[in-house]
Amino acid sequence: PWRISIGASSSGEAMSGQGEGSGQGEGRRSPRRDLIIGLGRAAAGALLFALPILMTMETWQLGVTVPASRLLLLLVLTLPLLVGLSRIGGFRRTSSLAQDMADAAIAIGIAAVVAAGVLGIFGVISDAMPASEVLGKLAIQITPGAVGALFGRAQLGASNHEDAGREEVEESYAGELFVMMAGALFLSLNIAPTEEVVLIAWRMSLWQQLGLLAVSLIVMHALVYQLEFIGGHGPRTEDGFWSLFLRFTVTGYVLVALVSLYVLWTIGRLDGTGAVDMAGLVIVLSFPGAVGAAAARIIV
């Protein structure tokens, strides 16, 4: 404990020492505390971002109806996605591919634990159910939860000294497209299982679907380049409007549509569906996917 001394010189020394001590305490944390805080942020991110899908009845049913091979493929594709997100903005500082892979595995584990805890409390899973049913219900929840765990650091914030010590990842064209795909996958998985996607696509005319496609492109471009959100890119004077629109927005939307197509196939929405109806479903799901893609570029 610091002692307060009487006298100008001793008081000044004490206050100086106290300032240095507090600065060191705030600026430097032990590796164990860093790990605990990182895991806590991951769990908070998993809960925050996956809560909508955890409380959606259709996703509980998908754990039983979706073939295990499709759920396994989703988890396999999730791993490299998480590795890339860990490099760009994981929940702790990393400096190697091995650490990014470890963080991806940790994110999957945390997402599974969070999903099991929440679904267990809700009574959706229990020890009386077959193991295959429990695993299926958890598997459909893991991808959005794990993405949320890694997005949690960027969304929930990090202190200045953490950002100062973190390796800066240079932005690249491929990197920005990758982030957009991650955002689209996250939000699409939260919405695709709902019956409303099918209902909306069925009720819309061809012109309404084309109008929704145009609105999706406008929203994507405006969120990133026009509305000046914190973390957004703002108008780039070195690139013309059409260059940005074609290279990022249109290309990004194509990737969003492909992600939507894959998600719809995974959950069985495209089984026995004709090409025209399939296109309508993709356009409808690509609207939230486009918002998720743009939001990811702002957040990460």
Side-chain angles (χ1 to χ4, degrees), residues 78-89:
T78 297
L79 185 59
L81 175 74
L82 296 175
V83 171
L85 288 177
S86 176
R87 170 59 52 183
I88 296 171

Side-chain angles (χ1 to χ4, degrees), residues 140-261:
I140 199 69
Q141 312 281 349
I142 285 177
T143 297
V147 172
L150 291 178
F151 273 177
R153 178 187 179 273
Q155 178 68 14
L156 301 178
S159 57
N160 293 334
H161 71 270
E162 286 178 311
D163 286 334
R166 184 177 179 85
E167 177 185 353
E168 292 295 331
V169 179
E170 183 180 357
E171 288 186 0
S172 65
Y173 180 62
E176 294 198 39
L177 294 180
F178 174 82
V179 169
M180 293 172 72
M181 289 181 63
L185 177 63
F186 163 74
L187 204 53
S188 295
L189 277 172
N190 274 274
I191 296 176
T194 63
E195 295 293 338
E196 284 77 7
V197 174
V198 178
L199 178 61
I200 292 172
W202 177 76
R203 297 184 63 176
M204 294 179 73
S205 66
L206 174 61
W207 291 109
Q208 287 174 321
Q209 292 175 357
L210 293 176
L212 181 60
L213 190 156
V215 169
S216 300
L217 289 169
I218 293 171
V219 169
M220 280 185 71
H221 196 82
L223 285 175
V224 178
Y225 293 109
Q226 301 298 325
L227 299 182
E228 300 183 3
F229 284 106
I230 296 176
H233 293 258
R236 294 166 58 164
T237 56
E238 66 273 16
D239 297 321
F241 170 82
W242 288 111
S243 176
L244 286 176
F245 186 75
L246 293 174
R247 290 174 59 239
F248 288 97
T249 305
V250 173
T251 303
Y253 184 82
V254 171
L255 295 176
V256 168
L258 291 175
V259 169
S260 298
L261 183 67

Side-chain angles (χ1 to χ4, degrees), residues 1-292:
W2 294 99
R3 291 182 298 174
I4 301 176
S5 302
I6 301 176
S9 60
S10 59
S11 175
E13 291 175 359
M15 293 183 66
S16 175
Q18 185 176 8
E20 292 174 0
S22 65
Q24 291 176 355
E26 292 178 2
R28 298 179 182 176
R29 288 200 301 254
S30 66
R32 181 179 179 182
R33 179 168 172 78
D34 275 340
L35 178 60
I36 293 174
I37 290 177
L39 294 176
R41 286 176 178 166
L47 179 62
L48 176 64
F49 283 78
L51 195 56
I53 195 172
L54 286 169
M55 299 186 69
T56 301
M57 181 176 62
E58 289 89 347
T59 62
W60 307 340
Q61 298 171 346
L62 289 176
V64 180
T65 60
V66 174
S69 59
R70 296 189 185 186
L71 293 177
L72 180 61
L73 178 60
L74 177 62
L75 293 178
V76 169
L77 294 177
T78 297
L79 185 59
L81 175 74
L82 296 175
V83 171
L85 288 177
S86 176
R87 170 59 52 183
I88 296 171
F91 53 82
R92 67 170 179 142
R93 296 188 296 274
T94 58
S95 57
S96 67
L97 177 61
Q99 289 183 341
D100 290 323
M101 294 182 67
D103 277 3
I106 291 172
I108 290 176
I110 289 176
V113 170
V114 170
V118 173
L119 294 182
I121 292 173
F122 290 166
V124 177
I125 60 175
S126 67
D127 54 5
M129 294 179 178
S132 58
E133 181 178 349
V134 174
L135 291 176
K137 290 181 178 181
L138 292 178
I140 199 69
Q141 312 281 349
I142 285 177
T143 297
V147 172
L150 291 178
F151 273 177
R153 178 187 179 273
Q155 178 68 14
L156 301 178
S159 57
N160 293 334
H161 71 270
E162 286 178 311
D163 286 334
R166 184 177 179 85
E167 177 185 353
E168 292 295 331
V169 179
E170 183 180 357
E171 288 186 0
S172 65
Y173 180 62
E176 294 198 39
L177 294 180
F178 174 82
V179 169
M180 293 172 72
M181 289 181 63
L185 177 63
F186 163 74
L187 204 53
S188 295
L189 277 172
N190 274 274
I191 296 176
T194 63
E195 295 293 338
E196 284 77 7
V197 174
V198 178
L199 178 61
I200 292 172
W202 177 76
R203 297 184 63 176
M204 294 179 73
S205 66
L206 174 61
W207 291 109
Q208 287 174 321
Q209 292 175 357
L210 293 176
L212 181 60
L213 190 156
V215 169
S216 300
L217 289 169
I218 293 171
V219 169
M220 280 185 71
H221 196 82
L223 285 175
V224 178
Y225 293 109
Q226 301 298 325
L227 299 182
E228 300 183 3
F229 284 106
I230 296 176
H233 293 258
R236 294 166 58 164
T237 56
E238 66 273 16
D239 297 321
F241 170 82
W242 288 111
S243 176
L244 286 176
F245 186 75
L246 293 174
R247 290 174 59 239
F248 288 97
T249 305
V250 173
T251 303
Y253 184 82
V254 171
L255 295 176
V256 168
L258 291 175
V259 169
S260 298
L261 183 67
Y262 168 70
V263 170
L264 289 168
W265 171 80
T266 298
I267 65 175
R269 286 280 189 252
L270 302 183
D271 296 348
T273 304
V276 175
D277 293 335
M278 187 183 303
L281 289 170
V282 170
I283 289 174
V284 171
L285 187 59
S286 293
F287 177 58
V291 175

